[in-house]
Amino acid sequence: MRPLPELTLATAWFWTSGSDGRLRVQRCTECATFVHPPVPICPACRSRAWEPTAVSGRGTIVGYTVNHHRWHPAFEPPYAIAVVALAEDPGVRLTTMIVGVDPTEVSIGQEVVVRFEHHDDVWLPLFEPTGELSAVDPVAEPERLLPRRPLDDGRFEHRSVLSGVGRSALGRRLMVDPLSLTVDACLEAVADAGLELEDIDGLSTYPGPAGMGMSEGGITTVEEALRLHPTWINGGGDLPGPGGSVVAAMLAVASGLCRHVLCFRTVWESSFAALGLAGPGGPRASGLSAWRAPFGAISAANWIAMNANQYLHRYGAPREMLGLIALNGRANAARNPAAIYRDPMTMDDYLSARPITSPFGLYDCDVPCDGSIAVVVSDAATADDRPHPAIRIEAVGTQILERVSWDQGTITHEPQVLGQAAHLWSRTSLRPADVDLALLYDGFTFNAISWLEALGFCGFGEAHDWLDHGRRIALDGELPVNPHGGQLSEGRTHGFGFLYEAVQQLRHDAGERQVAGAGTAVVTSGGGVPSSVLLLQRHHS
Ligand code: ZN
């Protein structure tokens, strides 16, 4: 059965609008701004007065993907998903399915018109190409965003250090209780920091209790196991990405509430799937998912792929650009005993892999795995008592400057990286040229490209040339990227693997994959959803 959107008090009018064949969008009756998805206040003039307003139902495809993977039994691949910018206001977009055409013929710039499909109490707005191409590009060029500037030179970041890291076994289908993995990582991190469990007075995690093999159960589950009596706890998905749990811990330390906060992140997606626990979910899609799942846009792979195609179209970059990220990760993973995929990979291997959702094939997508990673955030005043060189946090970037609805804002890059990257550089006098290595979130290859450009290592649209056939990001290149292999080859530890590797590298403990003289590392986590970026240093500058 097709996942249909939940009809809520806020959205029922939208999903039933097609009963008379008309598409309607929320419009402010004070300033005439179109607003989508519906919210109870105009973001332009803050008026509370609005009404559903009929529009022409015409629009232009600004992002698309041809999905080849069966995510849900109701959707038979291949099929085309797209982001359509409406004719009345190209800032209003709908994620939708493109029908009435062979999926392989869908492309950026095609004009489309709505065609409703009726299911139960819902009229889904699908779109069909008119055969015309849009005369104008409805997508604006990306720009460097302007972050909020700090009030003074004081930085809470400098009051904390990363004092310890730990990691459980990492692998596919480990069939180990995820809480046990968490305890393994936590015990190792505390010992690595030269501490006893009794020294820990804070706990922080992301995303807290979550299903789908994405969590051991969160703070209460871990506290029940460890009995640490913390003075402060934090866990949830409404954080600036997985790294947001570390930023929150830094705030607790800087405020004096905690001295040593244990941060952890556990995934067991591989065993979860092997146990047959993964499934299509409930009959109705809710929240932001309601705007995507009914059209077959089930996975983050689909959502990011639509932006990746906009990028490739806009800048004329080839798929091989994405392949260079995958090949770099795989080449580095050969030197990482913990990595899941260590066999060499060629560009031919990359290009001929099973298609997932265009332009992504199998090797554009990271590896679901089981594993837990823990990091201890300590008061900088205790740094000299620790057995390893403390890793200093120079700055963080956390500001949301883009629309959080994935399809409404940034579409030339992965959303939620441009703002956070700009915010980072507003909190430090260091510049991209000062960075010795980059740990770039690579849940999909395109995410790493997005972070590279957002952080200013190269200009927008310049990554393919800048990569220089991959030489620039190789272990001996100008900016080594993901020396551990990234999530593409090491495994999807969901952000914390980058932190773990950064600490190893900045301690100069990374063995045969050590980046020579590594002193400053940038570490990103997340994107798509609100994210964060940290600038770490081996020594005080
Ligand atoms: Zn208004």
Side-chain angles (χ1 to χ4, degrees), residues 28-33 35 42-47 49:
C28 174
T29 52
E30 295 289 327
C31 76
T33 296
V35 180
C42 172
C45 76
R46 307 297 188 193
S47 168

Side-chain angles (χ1 to χ4, degrees), residues 324-325 327-329 331-332 335 436-438 452 466-484 513-516:
L324 292 174
I325 297 294
L327 264 57
N328 177 68
N332 289 342
R335 299 166 186 247
D436 299 316
L437 76 155
L452 261 183
W466 184 87
L467 287 170
D468 187 21
H469 307 280
R471 285 191 279 267
R472 208 166 216 138
I473 58 171
L475 201 54
D476 59 354
E478 178 186 317
L479 181 74
V481 167
N482 297 348
H484 61 315
R513 65 179 191 280
Q514 179 64 48
V515 173

